[in-house]
Amino acid sequence: MKARVRILDVYSGRYTVFINENDAKNAKLHPDDLVRIEAGKKTVYGSVAISGVVGEGEIGVSRDVLGLHNFSEGEIVNVMPSGIPESVRYIKKKMHGEKLRKVEIEAIVKDIVDRKLRDIEISSFVTSLEINGLDMDEIAALTVAMAETGDMLDIDRKPIMDVHSIGGVPGNKTNILVVPIVAAAGLTIPKTSSRAITSAAGTADVVEVFADVSFSLDEIKRIVEKIGACLVWGGALNLAPADDITIKSERALSIDPTGLMLASIMSKKYAMGSQYVLIDIPTGKGVKVETVDQARALARDFIELGKRLGQYVEVAVTYGGQPIGHTVGPALEAREALSTLMTGKGPGSLIEKATGLAGILLEMGGAAPSGMGKKMAREILESGKAWEKMREIIEEQGGNPDIKPEEIPIGDKTYTFTASTSGYVTAIDNRAVTGIAKAAGAPEDKGAGIELHVKVGEKVKEGDPLFTVHAESEARLDQAIVLARRTEPIRIEGMVLQRIGNI
């Protein structure tokens, strides 16, 4: 049928088009059917919503559909049922545990990017990968397909370094220190980051507190070729666009399939032209990878995938048994990271991990002799050179380079939990900490999160503060308090753990 475009000030997040009930009945269209919209030589796909907000002969176009094509108000377009794409059959094949061929994977990725697959079908694909996995042939094919369906960046400054943490540890603002340290040593490190998937704050969520993170490829190229670094959100770019679509399903399902994680990370590195890639795999109870053996197996996968892509990959297996630093949540982490860069001093766990990772990159890129990278990284941090480089990054990304950490607003609705007994902190539950910070509103509410007053191994007395929850609303604070009381994220025990008498 032919229809007049009516632009609606609605963001559905599902690429929805709105059709009048009578038009839908005549065209045999039903809610959530996929339709093809032809405008000249351009074809766009959308999911049907039947609504009285549009009249007969009109098609209401949501703001997210406008991101696919810049329709004009009143423009005449052809609207017709799309039918089920062939890629759905390939998704069912993977649901049954069968191996996918390269062409089948390419078809799925292309249909994801073209929005020919609806959310339910994308979620089915993600779930099938969580249950049945991918072998290395499939992962390599998926990685290249995800990269080549988007834009590719070509930066003149070489060599190009990159670092990525697979996440899972609360408070992991490490790369906000690593990037300026490495760039201050003269290496090039264009860092793209995702927003939080299962955590309370991704690197992009934290940086967005004090600088812009959404840039075009041309803008990133200009920034990086000028100062050697950036800290930006990959989702604002057309880099491996299928990744940003599948992440929505992963976030909704709270899963992160290993094969998809590998492809997600490495497709962005491939698209950015990264030559030397360092992967950080935090390991410990309550994170994605709980044992060193699992970490080593995953490391081998990253290294093998890098070889297939023509990249040199090293992996750092890092301690992930408790949160990094003392803060969890975008604004709180931004304060802590900037304060550490500004003074060269900060939480031992944050500085130790950041200089360790930066040191490996300095050695990989030839800026430091073998075995001397960490020492050099620490000198760059303590000398103030890393802070000067961060000020350049902030300024180039539209922020205030003279920002003071204490000027960053944090949630003013607070509640502090105290120790109910004296003893030693024997464990901090990563999952519980993340859950509480998310219940408080993080990462969407930038000021929400948790401030930890103790770490594992520290001695506490009854009544000492353990952690403070920050929220931007009383309702969110109440939710976080209820969850914290139920999960008890910090365990305190005396030196005598158990008394056993005569049996």
Side-chain angles (χ1 to χ4, degrees), residues 272-342:
M272 289 294 287
S274 303
Q275 298 165 294
Y276 297 90
V277 180
L278 175 62
I279 302 295
D280 164 31
I281 303 181
T283 306
K285 187 175 180 181
V287 297
K288 292 178 183 178
V289 180
E290 295 204 341
T291 71
V292 173
D293 285 345
Q294 290 174 327
R296 286 174 176 157
L298 185 57
R300 287 193 292 270
D301 287 341
F302 270 112
I303 292 167
E304 172 61 26
L305 183 55
K307 287 178 181 177
R308 294 187 183 216
L309 300 174
Q311 297 170 312
Y312 178 75
V313 175
E314 286 196 21
V315 175
V317 178
T318 58
Y319 173 69
Q322 65 174 325
I324 297 168
H326 294 96
T327 58
V328 179
L332 289 162
E333 292 187 44
R335 280 188 170 196
E336 188 169 56
L338 292 183
S339 176
T340 304
L341 281 166
M342 185 180 291

Side-chain angles (χ1 to χ4, degrees), residues 5 10 90 126 152 194-195 232 240 297 310 326 376 387 413:
V5 170
V10 173
Y90 307 147
V126 171
M152 310 281 279
S194 64
R195 297 192 186 278
V232 300
H326 294 96
M376 181 178 177
W387 171 237
K413 309 295 188 293

